[in-house]
Amino acid sequence: PMERCRETAIQMIGDFVRCVSEPEDSLPYLLPSLAQRLGGKEIREPAEELRLSMVELLSLTVETTSTCRQRAW
């Protein structure tokens, strides 16, 4: 059940990043959380599938925010 909650949260955040006009505004909240779950000393995501989903979310975030930044230039 807990994995399902985390999986749903990752999917929702991915949808959010895709849909908002300025996803870079969420970076101060999103990146520390991902860093903690992916490689923090105190908390580490135990489910391999969720770690993969988080890396994909991180990749999506980088691609989306870099695209937004290029449009601004």
Side-chain angles (χ1 to χ4, degrees):
M2 292 303 290
E3 282 185 19
R4 183 67 182 143
C5 290
R6 293 191 307 270
E7 179 182 7
T8 301
I10 293 166
Q11 291 172 349
M12 289 174 60
I13 294 168
D15 291 343
F16 170 82
V17 168
R18 284 183 198 92
C19 293
V20 297
S21 60
E22 296 180 6
E24 62 275 8
D25 291 345
S26 65
L27 293 179
Y29 308 101
L30 180 59
L31 293 182
S33 298
L34 286 174
Q36 183 180 33
R37 294 301 297 190
L38 288 170
K41 294 178 183 176
E42 297 172 15
I43 300 174
R44 179 178 248 154
E45 177 56 56
E48 185 176 340
E49 295 84 5
L50 294 181
R51 286 195 308 269
L52 174 61
S53 294
M54 287 183 206
V55 169
E56 291 171 343
L57 174 60
L58 181 59
S59 176
L60 169 69
T61 303
V62 169
E63 290 173 17
T64 304
T65 55
S66 65
T67 301
C68 291
R69 182 159 282 196
Q70 287 175 355
R71 282 185 280 172
W73 293 89

